[in-house]
Amino acid sequence: IWAGFWAHQAVFVTVLFWSEGSPTYQLFGAFLWHAFLGAAFAWLMNLIRSELRALDSLDTTRTTRLLEIMGLQTAVGVIAVTQGIGPKAGDRLAATGLFQLSLCMAWLFSIAIFDVSGIDPHLAVTKLRLGLVEGSALFFTGLMVLCGFSAYVLSEQSRPKQRAVEGVWGVFAIAIFGGFC
């Protein structure tokens, strides 16, 4: 399902950019970005599932957290729609979409960092003894959360600046890519 969703996104977002008259390099970049997300997140979710099964740690608390996040995403989406949809609302809706995406990505990355890799957050903060991989994973996840908060602030503006929304999307993309590396 996940790979199918991102394949759909890769095709239809590219078509959307093409219909808006975007240059060829943006079309190529949009397609590659969504194809990367589909492959990378499918790999990460498969890895998390197999590790949690090996640890015999598949309980319902993670699913409950995800359902709470999905409820918040739905509420934010309804609020965005009630604020209006039109040609001048594109940047606000893009910021809303980024905030919604950051919620589920932060959930997924936090499971990978804390539940699968076994980092104790209290020990990590008090002792500050993290390896390069753990430290960079926490850094990029924190950066992704900050991008989500920034996107939320932008989504509450009636007409956010396009450059601000694009800048937050760019930093978010770097955080996602850095989180995988």
Side-chain angles (χ1 to χ4, degrees):
I1 294 174
W2 185 259
F5 169 75
W6 284 108
H8 167 271
Q9 289 291 99
V11 171
F12 286 104
V13 168
T14 305
V15 170
L16 172 69
F17 282 12
W18 175 70
S19 70
E20 293 175 344
S22 296
T24 306
Y25 71 90
Q26 281 185 347
L27 300 175
F28 187 68
F31 181 81
L32 281 180
W33 173 249
H34 287 91
F36 165 75
L37 285 180
F41 283 119
W43 168 79
L44 180 62
M45 288 192 305
N46 187 31
L47 180 71
I48 288 173
R49 183 177 53 241
S50 64
E51 289 295 320
L52 289 175
R53 281 185 182 150
L55 294 171
D56 198 26
S57 182
L58 286 174
D59 57 2
T60 59
T61 57
R62 290 172 195 84
T63 308
T64 304
R65 279 188 253 154
L66 179 60
L67 290 174
E68 291 170 355
I69 289 170
M70 290 171 63
L72 179 61
Q73 287 176 320
T74 303
V76 168
V78 168
I79 291 169
V81 169
T82 59
Q83 290 177 344
I85 298 176
K88 296 181 181 178
D91 293 326
R92 182 178 49 79
L93 293 174
T96 302
L98 175 60
F99 174 65
Q100 291 174 317
L101 184 62
S102 72
L103 290 173
C104 63
M105 294 303 130
W107 171 81
L108 186 65
F109 278 23
S110 69
I111 287 177
I113 292 171
F114 298 114
D115 296 340
V116 173
S117 69
I119 294 177
D120 181 12
H122 301 293
L123 188 61
V125 170
T126 57
K127 299 286 184 183
L128 293 176
R129 292 186 185 167
L130 293 173
L132 179 63
V133 173
E134 294 90 0
S136 63
L138 285 173
F139 171 77
F140 285 116
T141 301
L143 186 61
M144 187 174 45
V145 169
L146 289 176
C147 287
F149 288 144
S150 300
Y152 178 75
V153 170
L154 290 173
S155 72
E156 290 300 311
Q157 298 175 1
S158 60
R159 294 184 68 192
K161 295 182 180 177
Q162 182 179 7
R163 290 188 57 141
V165 174
E166 289 174 352
V168 172
W169 267 105
V171 174
F172 183 77
I174 291 168
I176 292 281
F177 190 73
F180 277 108
C181 295

